[in-house]
Amino acid sequence: STLLNMLLLRKRLWNLSSKVQDYLIIGWIGILAEAMKSPHVIQASHAARALANLDRDTVKEKYEDGVYILHPQYRTSQPIKADVLFIHGLLGAAFKTWRQKDHSNMEDKDTNYTECWPKTWLAADCPSLRILSVEYDSNLSDWRSKCPVEDERKSLAYRGRELLTKLKAAGVGDRPVVWIAHSMGGLLVKKMLLDASEDPEMRSVVQNTQGIVFYSVPHSGSRLAEYSVSARFLLFPSVEVKELSKDSPALRELNNNFTKLVREHEVNILSFGEMLPTYIGSMIKLHVVPPNSADLGIGDFIPLDVNHLNICKPGSRDSFLYQRSLQFIKDALAKEFKR
């Protein structure tokens, strides 16, 4: 009798704890849904990712740390036809890299200014896309002492493997993909696709890649690494900067293997190159990625009168930079949009 009472009590407590858990989840859903209405893209996107991970009824993908869904951020009956992925570069971020070009006087910016053009413009122009943006830490200088393991984690090889695993968990590779990359982010894309091509479980990522847009990607290195000695804040250049050394054998091998891969899979390529120098701190003014390094030699290469930071920041929705990028995405995914 005592044992029976204990079992009954345990069952009641279990039922009660389940209800409490349900109430807690419901409470969090309300808070997150409210946060998604925020005009601040970072807050809204964090909330959207958390809600997507809670929604096991309609969302089978898992969005791990550093992977953000920009569109759709709400349940929709419209089928998703393809994915577009945004990968930032050195010192970039999942949102700030992809903002509209800053005005000379930001106090006078118009009401249509967007903090994240993929979320605002691309989602409106191509509502049947799932738009993701990723984030990872990067540094110019390693002036602080740290353990060798930290160095290894900042390498292109490690970052590529880690990010590829996260994107696979998010369902990347299950449908056609277009990659959009700025600077070092383009090298990450190349490394991920090469790694995926050698892994049977990841191969669908390569097979479904329809196009890549490169914004000033240093295919054969960056001049930034050349200034690691003369620049005060680069006296101890980071792993990331060292890997960008001009004409490095590692970059050459990466590029050769990648060009072979995209030709084999007939991947569409569009590259933009910077024609104006960028101020690095107060001491240095340079072309971070010279045109000959930004030109992959496959697909269209378009030089623009912008610097390295603004090469991925369209001045407006009607600008050539955005419209040409948009047209490339539509062309690369034309078969999907017709279905």
Side-chain angles (χ1 to χ4, degrees):
S1 145
T2 305
L3 179 60
L4 180 61
N5 287 335
M6 287 179 65
L7 289 172
L8 287 171
L9 178 61
R10 182 179 176 184
K11 184 178 180 181
R12 286 171 186 161
L13 287 173
W14 173 259
N15 290 336
L16 180 62
S17 66
S18 296
K19 289 179 180 177
V20 169
Q21 190 175 23
D22 289 343
Y23 286 136
L24 285 172
I25 291 174
I26 291 169
W28 271 112
I29 288 174
I31 293 170
L32 292 169
E34 195 62 32
M36 280 181 64
K37 300 175 184 176
S38 170
H40 303 292
V41 65
I42 297 177
Q43 183 177 337
S45 296
H46 275 281
R49 187 184 68 181
L51 271 177
N53 285 333
L54 284 172
D55 189 0
R56 296 295 88 189
D57 293 334
T58 59
V59 181
K60 69 179 192 299
E61 299 88 1
K62 180 183 179 184
Y63 298 101
E64 297 188 20
D65 186 39
V67 180
Y68 298 93
I69 180 164
L70 302 181
H71 176 80
Q73 292 191 335
Y74 296 92
R75 285 187 180 185
T76 175
S77 57
Q78 183 173 33
I80 300 300
K81 296 183 176 180
D83 290 336
V84 176
L85 275 66
F86 287 81
I87 318 290
H88 69 77
L90 192 62
L91 299 184
F95 310 107
K96 74 173 185 179
T97 292
W98 311 109
R99 67 184 184 274
Q100 184 177 348
K101 183 181 177 182
D102 297 335
H103 295 229
S104 55
N105 184 356
M106 290 302 288
E107 291 181 1
D108 296 333
K109 67 184 180 184
D110 61 63
T111 54
N112 294 320
Y113 178 86
T114 176
E115 293 180 344
C116 184
W117 61 262
K119 182 178 186 292
T120 309
W121 301 342
L122 185 58
D125 289 328
C126 301
S128 60
L129 295 177
R130 181 177 66 154
I131 304 172
L132 302 179
S133 186
V134 304
E135 184 159 306
Y136 56 91
D137 293 329
S138 61
N139 300 283
L140 284 176
S141 173
D142 277 349
W143 61 271
R144 291 175 298 179
S145 60
K146 53 181 174 27
C147 64
V149 174
E150 221 174 310
D151 270 349
E152 198 270 334
R153 290 187 177 202
K154 290 182 177 181
S155 70
L156 203 61
Y158 183 93
R159 287 190 197 278
R161 287 193 301 271
E162 181 183 48
L163 188 52
L164 182 60
T165 302
K166 289 182 177 182
L167 292 176
K168 187 64 178 173
V172 174
D174 294 346
R175 56 176 73 95
V177 185
V178 170
W179 304 79
I180 314 287
H182 176 234
S183 192
M184 192 181 83
L187 302 182
L188 265 177
V189 170
K190 292 161 72 173
K191 187 69 177 71
M192 283 191 287
L193 290 176
L194 285 170
D195 286 348
S197 70
E198 297 172 359
D199 185 340
E201 293 185 6
M202 300 283 191
R203 207 161 285 156
S204 63
V205 176
V206 179
Q207 293 167 342
N208 269 317
T209 292
Q210 304 300 310
I212 309 170
V213 178
F214 290 123
Y215 294 116
S216 277
V217 171
H219 298 292
S220 55
S222 167
R223 294 190 66 201
L224 190 62
E226 297 174 21
Y227 289 83
S228 61
V229 176
S230 59
R232 180 164 45 89
F233 57 89
L234 289 179
L235 286 175
F236 303 98
S238 65
V239 174
E240 298 96 314
V241 171
K242 289 175 184 174
E243 288 191 321
L244 296 178
S245 296
K246 196 169 178 292
D247 299 320
S248 79
L251 280 186
R252 194 178 304 119
E253 182 182 6
L254 175 67
N255 204 43
N256 290 341
N257 293 336
F258 176 75
T259 52
K260 191 184 301 180
L261 182 73
V262 296
R263 285 192 173 105
E264 180 185 332
H265 289 272
E266 298 182 341
V267 178
N268 298 291
I269 303 288
L270 172 63
S271 301
F272 292 95
E274 70 206 56
M275 297 303 290
L276 298 181
T278 304
Y279 281 96
I280 308 296
S282 58
M283 304 166 59
I284 299 172
K285 181 181 178 184
L286 77 157
H287 281 90
V288 178
V289 180
N292 62 335
S293 184
D295 186 357
L296 183 64
I298 300 175
D300 291 339
F301 175 70
I302 303 173
L304 295 176
D305 286 332
V306 293
N307 64 23
H308 188 70
L309 298 178
N310 289 330
I311 192 73
C312 55
K313 297 176 179 61
S316 71
R317 192 170 177 177
D318 296 324
S319 68
F320 173 80
L321 179 59
Y322 174 70
Q323 287 298 323
R324 184 66 182 85
S325 301
L326 174 63
Q327 191 58 53
F328 175 84
I329 293 169
K330 288 181 174 180
D331 290 344
L333 300 172
K335 289 181 182 177
E336 306 309 315
F337 288 137
K338 287 177 181 176
R339 291 180 183 176

